[in-house]
């Protein structure tokens, strides 16, 4: 089928929509209002809570853990001072603990004030709280209590470099939480309450510093600092859109209608999805919105410029509106299909927010197209006709800039081989750097440290006992009293020692941050044996071990039940991490799973928390990104081949569109930008958008060849008609994405920079390598005389 025939079909659509313009406007208005009402249900999901579905093993393991040991989401505060055992600082710890117990869902507080220490006595043993009778003011008594808490060494004292640093300068005040009733909402309340406590006048002092941490606290900080910035980016993008519409279009209608279509399309999709309970992800929510704004302007400008071109020639509004749909309808619709195909490819990434982003962005693109393709021709059809100027008729409605682009077609033909050589050199330089791209998920590195809470988190992880990342391992046997078997308990001790050797395990001094029930058993065993240091061990005799477990579960109940169930068959081992590096994390997870099989045959073993979730993200990203990009590439190539009825033309059309992807990959490798769950979205999006101008140019060229008979004539006509629109749309797209580059959030800056580079590279390719290849290959057949 020729382009002329397709254009005539779109011309019939244009004439029908103008004929029934009033009913169409009413339908769009009703649809918009109904969908927008759903925005009242719009929600944003924070953190990694919503990354895995109910059927995912990670989610199932997490649910099993929480059913046994309670809420895995807890909060804590690291206090740093010259001496945490001074009367003044102990008073602060005591008061801070009291305030933290006021936090919703508060369960158990652990601090120097609340710590339980088993101690041997004449009757056997007792559980002592060093400050149960209050905080002494006598320096000698304070020193005695400090010495008691720090007695022994880090190897024989489970508190040293765990609850408190060996130098007495850092200590934790941690709070376990009851299970949440409303998920993210309850978590947000907990985090916000802790933030209010830490930033109240009551705890402002230059004598100590407080660092909040825990998933609820981190999520609250994201909501406090990152959501406002995301909203600001969207508002700035909309402002940029308005400014450039005024500059480029220079008509009130050309500013108002695209603005309304943009708002209507985005609000319609977001509202409709909210009806179905879809939660937007904090890190990705702005991408569909900015994409909608950018593409709305791109599609609008193609329609508006085409309308102005015909209106200058004919002076008839209705006929110009129909001709606009006829000449631009197919090429714009085809660009929509290719962009949607690239976005739908995100279904291959097995993570909910990425899937949500792809699905939402695809719907936004479709909605934007529907609003632009229907409303702009209709709205521009209203108004008075006028007599065209003779000069406009002579130049076929082209302006001075259009004529300059027409001359560019001749320049490209003359320099076509030089263009191909230069393009090849640029690609050859970029390709090696692609292989240097590291796959890495590190929230601190991704977000950067320009925001206050990220600066605080970076400081926190650098402290002697400070940590942000952690995970738990759970070993569950079917039989009751399984861990009363000395062999299984010895296996547990070996497993703890193994976890302490992993590269990402936090160490303070020589002590790994690995916590399990064995620490309680060792403390209890020593207390029962007159405090002898050599008894700081787990006994290996059946009867003794069984009795020690029973006694510990009674006397140290709250501490004990956080680490082992009351049937002695399920145990939890907690590990704090020094930092997070994806490759190391994946290797550690693999090693842990191998150790599970070796030490605990027949048990259900799993890893829960940051370690497994981020490592799994990295693994899925690699698979998903490759599938997503290959799917986008294949589908767009097939669509180009079918649209132009030529394998050669379709593949030629793909060449200039792979170039910006290679360029972006080269820049990422050159400047050390990591591939993470945000930057991974760039490649398919750029491919989907970059192909738009190629489609416009190639479609117009084929149509021009049918009319003019020569490639030069067709290229001159194509650049005259859409050369300016290509520049304007890409310039506005780059300007909108450049809004990201001024964000203090690092991953938004990277998205902005890479998008601008990719889109600018795509436009340059369509002005140079695309026409150069078309001149050389002549994919639409031989030329005929004009």
């Amino acid at each position: 089928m020729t382009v002329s025939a397709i254009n005539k079909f779109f011309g019939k659509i244009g004439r029908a929509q103008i004929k029934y313009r009033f009913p169409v406007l009413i339908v769009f208005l009703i649809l918009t209002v109904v969908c927008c009402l759903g925005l009242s249900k719009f929600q944003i999901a924070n953190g990694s809570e919503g990354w895995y579905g109910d059927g995912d093993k990670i989610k199932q393991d997490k649910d099993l853990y929480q059913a046994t040991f309670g809420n895995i989401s807890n909060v804590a505060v690291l206090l740093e001072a010259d001496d945490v055992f001074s009367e003044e600082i102990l008073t602060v710890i005591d008061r801070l603990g009291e305030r933290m117990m006021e936090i919703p869902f508060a369960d158990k507080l652990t601090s120097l004030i609340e710590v339980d220490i088993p101690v041997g006595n004449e009757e056997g043993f007792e559980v002592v709280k060093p400050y149960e009778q209050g905080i002494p003011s006598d320096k000698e008594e304070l020193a005695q209590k400090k010495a008691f808490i720090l007695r022994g060494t880090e190897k024989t004292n489970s508190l040293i470099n765990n609850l408190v640093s060996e130098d007495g300068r850092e200590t934790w005040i941690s709070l376990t939480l009851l299970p949440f009733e409303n998920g993210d909402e309850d978590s947000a309340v907990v985090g916000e309450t802790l933030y209010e406590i830490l930033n109240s006048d009551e705890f402002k002092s230059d004598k100590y510093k407080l660092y909040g941490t825990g998933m609820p606290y981190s999520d609250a900080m994201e909501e406090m600092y990152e959501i406002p910035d995301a909203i600001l980016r969207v508002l700035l993008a909309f402002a940029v859109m308005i400014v450039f519409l005024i500059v480029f279009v220079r008509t009130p209608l050309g500013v108002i209608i695209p603005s309304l279509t943009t708002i209507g399309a985005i609000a319609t999709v977001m509202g409709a999805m909210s009806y179905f309970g879809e939660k937007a992800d904090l890190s990705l929510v702005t991408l569909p919105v900015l994409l909608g704004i950018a593409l709305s302007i791109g599609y609008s400008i193609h329609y508006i410029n085409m309308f102005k071109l015909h209106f200058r020639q004919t002076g008839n509004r209705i006929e110009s509106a129909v001709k606009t749909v006829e000449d631009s309808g197919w090429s714009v619709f085809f660009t929509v299909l290719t962009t949607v195909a690239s976005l739908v490819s995100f279904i291959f990434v097995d993570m909910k927010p990425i899937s949500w982003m792809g699905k939402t962005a695809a719907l936004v693109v479709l909605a934007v197209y529907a609003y632009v393709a229907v409303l702009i021709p209709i709205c521009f059809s209203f108004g008075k006709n006028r007599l065209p100027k003779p000069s406009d008729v002579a130049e076929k409605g082209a302006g001075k800039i259009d004529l300059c682009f027409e001359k560019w077609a001749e320049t490209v033909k003359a320099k076509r081989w030089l263009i191909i050589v230069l393009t090849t050199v640029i690609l050859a330089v970029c390709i090696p750097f692609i292989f240097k791209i590291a796959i890495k998920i590190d929230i601190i590195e991704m977000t950067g440290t320009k925001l206050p809470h990220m600066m605080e988190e970076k400081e926190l992880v650098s402290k002697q006992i400070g940590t942000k990342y952690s995970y738990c391992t759970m070993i569950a046997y079917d039989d009751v009293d399984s861990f009363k078997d000395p062999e299984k308990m010895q296996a547990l001790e070996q497993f703890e020692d193994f976890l302490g050797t992993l590269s990402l395990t936090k160490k303070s001094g020589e002590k790994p941050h690995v916590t399990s029930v064995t620490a309680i058993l060792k403390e209890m065993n020593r207390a029962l044996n007159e405090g002898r240091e050599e008894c700081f061990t787990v006994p290996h005799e059946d009867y003794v071990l069984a009795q020690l477990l029973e006694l510990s579960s009674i006397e140290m109940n709250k501490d004990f039940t956080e680490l082992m169930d009351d049937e002695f068959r399920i145990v939890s081992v907690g590990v704090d991490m020094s930092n997070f590096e994806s490759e190391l994390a994946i290797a550690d997870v693999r090693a842990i799973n191998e150790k599970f099989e070796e030490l605990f045959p027949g048990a259900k073993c799993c890893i829960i928390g940051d370690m497994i979730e981020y490592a799994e993200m990295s693994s899925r990203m690699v698979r998903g990104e490759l599938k997503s990009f290959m799917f986008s590439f294949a589908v767009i190539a097939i669509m180009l081949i079918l649209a132009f009825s030529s394998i050669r033309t379709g593949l030629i059309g793909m060449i200039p569109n792979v170039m910006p992807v290679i360029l972006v990959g080269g820049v990422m490798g050159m400047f050390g930008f990591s591939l993470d769950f945000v930057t991974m979205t760039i490649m398919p999006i750029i491919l989907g958008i970059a192909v738009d101008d190629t489609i416009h140019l190639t479609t117009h060229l084929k149509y021009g060849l049918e009319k003019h008979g020569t490639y030069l004539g067709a290229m001159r006509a194509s650049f005259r008609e859409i050369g300016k629109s290509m520049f304007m749309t890409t310039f506005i797209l780059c300007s909108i994405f450049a809004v990201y580059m001024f964000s203090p959030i690092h991953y938004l800056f990277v998205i902005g920079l890479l998008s601008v580079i990719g889109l600018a590279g795509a436009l340059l390719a369509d002005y140079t390598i695309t026409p150069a290849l078309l001149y050389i290959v002549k994919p639409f057949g031989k030329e005929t005389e004009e």
Side-chain angles (χ1 to χ4, degrees), residues 241-259 300-301 303-305 307-309 311-312 317 376 379-380 382 386 728:
M241 177 189 78
I242 298 296
V243 168
F244 284 113
L245 279 174
I246 294 172
V247 171
F248 288 141
V249 180
R250 289 174 294 183
T251 63
L253 200 62
V255 175
I256 295 170
I257 301 305
S259 301
S300 297
I301 283 178
Y303 271 87
I304 291 170
N305 281 350
F307 174 84
K308 291 168 74 174
L309 187 74
F311 190 58
R312 282 196 296 267
R317 284 190 170 274
I376 285 185
C379 292
F380 274 76
F382 291 103
R386 70 183 185 190
M728 289 167 62

Side-chain angles (χ1 to χ4, degrees), residues 720-778:
R720 182 180 66 245
E721 292 173 0
I722 65 168
K724 181 174 69 175
S725 294
M726 288 166 59
F727 172 79
M728 289 167 62
T729 55
T730 302
F731 184 82
I732 294 176
L733 277 167
C734 289
S735 299
I736 288 173
F737 277 101
V739 167
Y740 274 150
M741 294 172 60
F742 298 96
S743 171
I745 302 173
H746 181 67
Y747 64 76
L748 292 184
F749 164 79
V750 173
I751 285 177
L753 177 64
L754 297 181
S755 297
V756 169
I757 291 172
L759 294 172
L763 177 66
L764 184 61
D766 283 318
Y767 278 152
T768 55
I769 189 67
T770 300
L773 288 171
L774 292 173
Y775 275 133
I776 292 170
V777 179
K778 294 182 173 55

Side-chain angles (χ1 to χ4, degrees), residues 494-505:
Q494 293 176 40
F495 183 62
E496 289 178 55
D497 293 338
F498 163 75
L499 292 175
T501 65
L502 295 177
S503 57
L504 292 179
T505 300

Side-chain angles (χ1 to χ4, degrees), residues 119-372:
V119 179
N121 59 23
E122 294 178 358
E123 298 177 0
F125 81 99
E126 62 178 324
V127 177
V128 174
K129 285 185 182 294
Y131 301 101
E132 189 170 19
Q133 302 303 318
I135 300 167
S137 56
D138 181 70
K139 290 185 178 180
E140 185 175 341
E141 190 175 352
L142 283 169
Q144 289 174 354
K145 291 186 180 297
K146 176 179 179 179
F148 170 69
I149 293 173
L150 297 179
R151 71 197 188 285
T153 66
E154 65 177 15
K155 291 184 179 180
T156 60
N157 187 334
S158 58
L159 301 180
I160 295 177
N161 286 338
N162 190 348
L163 177 65
V164 61
S165 62
E166 60 185 341
D167 61 8
R169 293 177 58 86
E170 300 172 18
T171 187
W172 282 107
I173 304 96
S174 58
L175 181 69
T176 59
L177 302 169
L178 297 170
F180 294 143
E181 297 171 1
N182 299 304
D184 289 344
E185 294 178 19
D186 293 337
S187 178
V189 171
V190 169
E192 289 164 7
T193 306
L194 179 58
Y195 175 82
E196 291 171 2
I197 291 171
L198 297 182
N199 288 273
S200 64
D201 292 337
E202 184 177 3
F203 297 107
K204 287 183 178 178
S205 174
D206 57 1
K207 295 182 179 180
Y208 58 86
K209 186 162 185 180
L210 303 175
Y211 300 90
T213 189
M215 190 59 71
Y217 184 79
S218 297
D219 290 348
M221 293 304 95
E222 287 181 14
E223 188 168 342
M224 183 176 298
Y225 291 106
E226 296 180 39
I227 288 181
D229 187 78
I231 294 172
L232 177 62
R233 298 305 124 196
V234 171
L235 294 176
L236 287 174
F238 194 76
V240 167
M241 177 189 78
I242 298 296
V243 168
F244 284 113
L245 279 174
I246 294 172
V247 171
F248 288 141
V249 180
R250 289 174 294 183
T251 63
L253 200 62
V255 175
I256 295 170
I257 301 305
S259 301
L260 292 178
T261 58
T262 301
I263 296 171
I266 294 172
T268 296
V269 171
M270 294 295 183
M273 294 185 71
S274 297
Y275 277 123
F276 295 96
E278 294 273 359
K279 286 187 178 182
D281 181 78
L282 174 63
S283 303
L284 302 172
V285 66
T286 60
L287 274 176
V289 176
L290 260 68
L291 194 62
I293 293 173
L295 293 179
S296 176
I297 296 306
Y299 302 155
S300 297
I301 283 178
H302 276 287
Y303 271 87
I304 291 170
N305 281 350
M306 189 61 69
F307 174 84
K308 291 168 74 174
L309 187 74
H310 287 296
F311 190 58
R312 282 196 296 267
Q313 293 182 70
T314 66
N316 186 302
R317 284 190 170 274
I318 289 180
E319 287 304 314
S320 296
V322 172
K323 285 293 291 180
T324 295
V325 178
E326 182 176 325
D327 289 352
S328 295
W330 166 236
S331 59
V332 173
F333 177 67
F334 192 26
T335 64
V336 169
L337 292 181
T338 55
T339 302
V340 169
S342 69
L343 294 170
V344 169
S345 69
F346 287 116
I347 61 176
F348 289 112
V349 183
D350 188 18
M351 290 187 289
K352 287 173 66 179
I354 298 292
S355 300
W356 174 89
M357 191 279 294
K359 175 172 56 180
T360 304
L363 291 173
V364 165
V365 171
L366 288 172
V368 161
Y369 168 72
Y371 275 77
V372 168

